[in-house]
Structure formats: C-alpha cells, structure tokens
Amino acid sequence: QKTAYEIRNCDWSSDVCSSDLAPVAPPEPPPSDGFAAPERIVAVGDLHGDLEASKAVFQLAGLIDETGHWSGGKAWLVQTGDTVDRGPDSKGVLALLRTLEQEAAAAGGRVLPLLGNHEVMNMTGDWRYVNPEDLQGYGGEAARKAAFTESGEDGRWLRTHDTTVRVGSTVFVHGGIDERWSRLGTRGINAGVRAALGGGDPTILGSDGPLWNRAYLLSDPVTACAELGRALTNLGATRMVVGHTTQKSGTVGTLCGGQLYAIDTGISAHYGRHLAALEIRGEKVTPLEPSP
C-alpha cells in the first residue's frame, strides 16, 4: 500500500538529494507580509566570488546582455545569498549586483539580493573561507575588513538587505526556514537577523536558523516534508526556494512534490561551474540550464 509520500532517486546518506516526493496537501495561505508576484521571477543560488560565472548565469536567464548590463525588463531576480568567499572576486560580484539593482529598477524590474551565511560571516569577522586572491581585489586585508563594516561600501549595502522574502506564493531564503522560525514570518525573521548583526540575540544566526539550516535536504523525507508544509502555512506560501546545500548533480533539486526547490547547483568554478537558475511564472516553475 502506498503511503502519502512516494520517494524517487534519493540518497539520504549524502548531502544532496534529487528526490521527488508527493506533496503535502497545500494549505490555503493566510495573509502575510510579502510582494505580489510579477510576471516573471528568476532565482539564482550561491555565486561564491566568481564574477564570470555570475555573469554567465544571469545571461543564461536572460537578465543581462553581453556587456553585463540589465536586459531583463520587468523581471525580478532573487539571489539567495552566498555571493562572497571561496572564489577570487567577491568585490566584483557585489559590485555587479549593486549595479543590476539600480538598472533593473530603472527598467521596471527588481533585484532582491538576500543574505546568506557567508555574507553574515564576513560582516561578523569570520573569514575562514576567504580566498587569498579576494584580499588582493580589495587592496589588502585591512581594506577588505573595512569594506564589510557598517560604514564600508559592501557592509553598508549588505545590511540594507533581507534574509528572506515572499514573492507571490514563493518564499526565498538561503538555508531553510523550519517550523520554529516560520512562526516569526518573513518580517520577523528579517528583523531578528538585523538585530543579531547589531549585537542582539545571535540565536537566529545559529546552525538551525534560516541562514544555515539544511534539515529539509538532509533529514528523513517524510518528517522533513511534513514540517515544511507547516512552515509554509505559517509563512503564507506554497513553496520554498533555498540555496546553501550544493546539489552534486549540478542541477536544480526538487523535493516534497515541488514544495521545495534547491538552487545551489555549484555555479562558481570552486564547485565546478554548474550554471542553473529557476524561473517562476505564476504557478509554473522551470529550471533554466544550459543546452546539452
């Protein structure tokens, strides 16, 4: 006899999964803070200091032209964090996103860069994953440290951005929002992270917080999908899009019958330069990947 979940092609002993689980019955979303959905949303995962790969994936998604400028019209780009570290050009990636943020707005579109755990690590002085070449791009260690402070060019800009956002029926976040944190809503989560960055309670920045949580991708699928359904109800959403957990397949992962999309495909050269993005048009969700 079949259970409520049908599990396909999933290795739960590894840190990635390409399973497709029959969905928990979608809840009726309650009123919640967020944005009405535009005609086209593109979500892009971890870029990790690779400027050329960043440009390539944005071009793949039809968001920039060959000169690196916005060509996406009224589309919205949601970048789910981890723009920095590992690669050699965090400064270049952040500068590109700042430029696209302005150019998209002028064209009637929008760029929403979210915070990932690596942005927060850099803002709080944790430099374990900084590429030595990245220091050179900033003009040295002291200059890079200054850039990520509250008054520095990158730190000041990053602190204006959210950790999570709901656009239409989709909530975007770097790691994952479990049932506990979902009770705060997107607005409460964003406020909690800002408070923590300002010296407040750091609990929300911990391993089970929205920036680091991998449980939906690594836990027992039945338990994980049931919790995801409850979290989505609290967030007023029907699906969650996350980065953070690299998909070793190099392709977008789909779990819980389309209630969870994992878009960290390893875009940067550090992870193999597996270009991919996720397009959402209404309720149609389509991975965007290079032609074979």
Side-chain angles (χ1 to χ4, degrees), residues 43 103 278:
E103 293 180 349
L278 190 72

Side-chain angles (χ1 to χ4, degrees), residues 10-190:
C10 185
D11 178 9
W12 292 97
S13 65
S14 69
D15 61 352
V16 294
C17 181
S18 60
S19 70
D20 182 15
L21 307 179
V24 177
E28 189 68 30
S32 178
D33 48 337
F35 296 99
E39 180 179 345
R40 183 177 190 240
I41 307 167
V42 175
V44 173
D46 306 39
L47 300 173
H48 280 301
D50 191 329
L51 179 59
E52 294 310 309
S54 300
K55 290 179 179 178
V57 75
F58 294 154
Q59 193 168 353
L60 169 71
L63 297 176
I64 67 172
D65 59 24
E66 293 180 356
T67 68
H69 292 284
W70 182 260
S71 62
K74 296 182 179 180
W76 285 31
L77 164 64
V78 182
Q79 199 285 318
T80 56
D82 276 13
T83 52
V84 301
D85 288 345
R86 303 197 187 277
D89 198 1
S90 299
K91 183 179 179 68
V93 174
L94 293 175
L96 174 63
L97 284 170
R98 278 198 297 273
T99 298
L100 295 180
E101 196 175 42
Q102 297 173 359
E103 293 180 349
R110 191 157 190 164
V111 173
L112 294 170
L114 301 178
L115 296 180
N117 60 301
H118 281 267
E119 283 81 11
V120 170
M121 289 167 71
N122 276 264
M123 288 189 281
T124 55
D126 185 343
W127 282 29
R128 282 176 288 168
Y129 301 101
V130 175
N131 188 314
E133 292 182 51
D134 214 21
L135 299 178
Q136 299 173 21
Y138 279 89
E141 182 175 351
R144 192 180 188 281
K145 285 182 177 179
F148 281 91
T149 63
E150 290 184 30
S151 58
E153 182 178 31
D154 291 333
R156 183 175 62 250
W157 181 75
L158 287 169
R159 285 172 172 82
T160 67
H161 292 128
D162 289 332
T163 298
T164 181
V165 65
R166 183 178 63 79
V167 184
S169 59
T170 306
V171 63
F172 301 86
V173 67
H174 181 64
I177 303 170
D178 65 14
E179 184 180 9
R180 170 194 178 188
W181 293 111
S182 72
R183 297 188 189 107
L184 296 179
T186 57
R187 186 176 296 141
I189 291 170
N190 292 329

Side-chain angles (χ1 to χ4, degrees), residues 31 51 55 77-78 99-100 107 125 149-150 180 194 204-205 220 227 245 252 266 269 271 274-276 282 289 291:
L51 179 59
K55 290 179 179 178
L77 164 64
V78 182
T99 298
L100 295 180
T149 63
E150 290 184 30
R180 170 194 178 188
R194 285 197 172 92
I204 198 169
L205 304 181
D220 168 73
E227 178 165 2
T245 303
V252 173
Y271 289 103
H274 302 291
L275 304 182
E289 296 165 354
S291 301

